[in-house]
Amino acid sequence: MSRYYGFLFLFLSSMQAGGQTPDTIPPFLSCKPQLFITITPTCQVTIWAVDLADSVSDASMPVQLGIRRICTGDGFPQKDHQLFNVSDLGLQTVELWAKDDAGNVSHCQSTVIVQDVIGNCDPGIAIQYRNPLNAGIDSVYAQISGFNCLSDTFERELFSQTLSCCESWGVGFYSEFGVISPTPGYETSITPRKNDQPLNGVTTYDLSLISKHILGLEPLDSPLKIIAADANQDGKVTTFDIIVLRKLILGIIDELPNGKSWRFLPKNYVFPNPQDPFTPPFPEKILVPHSADPLPTYFEFIGIKIGDVNDSAFPGG
């Protein structure tokens, strides 16, 4: 009986060697759990697929390796290397793939920790807040949120006064390294907010200007001023806005509707109808689309102090 099984084994082996039995077994692939890399003085570094392989073997040698960031493609990657730059500082998840001569594939994941020990690279994210007169706005929060292709949600809040590194850039500028997204380019939004000092810049003179606008005697001459006049934020300028601001001035209320004292929009936004900036609704955040490549790192916003139609609000605090 043992001789029978021996002949059977030799027969099957000869069939496989002769191409009669196709190889359907994927390569054995094991990833390193993590890899520390340091960006160079040029603020970037390239890693190769082989750098992440802990062990790889297959009956159909040789084995081809491929690498890519998680959530950036399907099937075997086209490249055997991946570039990281200063916007990638921190933890990055990558996929390592192996493919043998028979076309069988396997893959695993590894974590790449991108470091900058030199500390002289440009920020991974920079946000600029300016008022209509181009003065910097301080003490602004920015909510960074989104999700990746694995439906993992992530959020982070940045405060423009928390870093002392950027004082030389002037008021209203915030920068930090590598905080946009754990998966660059996957539906990330940046939404500023500033809800303090609602009475800042709001006077009876603003009420007079809004009244003249409503009556058609002296229309406000910019969409930003019209947005500022919409005190109750209902998408139109009416006497109800004057009532809200009068209550604020008299101390009857201590905050504006929705708790907002400022509204922000992307600096490069163009109003389809400047006389009616609310139609369509203007964006109050910047969205980094799924297809963004490379990932943007600089964002500019215009801040509008609600109720201040003559731009008298102090923007620096």
Side-chain angles (χ1 to χ4, degrees), residues 163-242:
L163 290 186
S164 60
C165 73
C166 312
E167 292 176 355
S168 61
W169 292 79
V171 175
F173 182 87
Y174 181 94
S175 71
E176 191 169 321
F177 290 96
V179 296
I180 279 290
S181 166
T183 308
Y186 276 83
E187 302 298 332
T188 304
S189 63
I190 301 178
T191 308
R193 64 178 176 85
K194 179 176 170 65
N195 302 333
D196 59 349
Q197 302 180 40
L199 197 55
N200 180 11
V202 181
T203 66
T204 54
Y205 182 57
D206 295 297
L207 302 187
S208 174
L209 294 176
I210 296 172
S211 179
K212 291 179 179 180
H213 174 80
I214 294 172
L215 296 173
L217 300 177
E218 190 176 326
L220 296 171
D221 59 5
S222 84
L224 302 182
K225 292 181 179 180
I226 296 174
I227 293 172
D230 180 23
N232 63 359
Q233 301 157 56
D234 64 351
K236 51 191 175 183
V237 179
T238 67
T239 54
F240 289 107
D241 298 302
I242 296 177

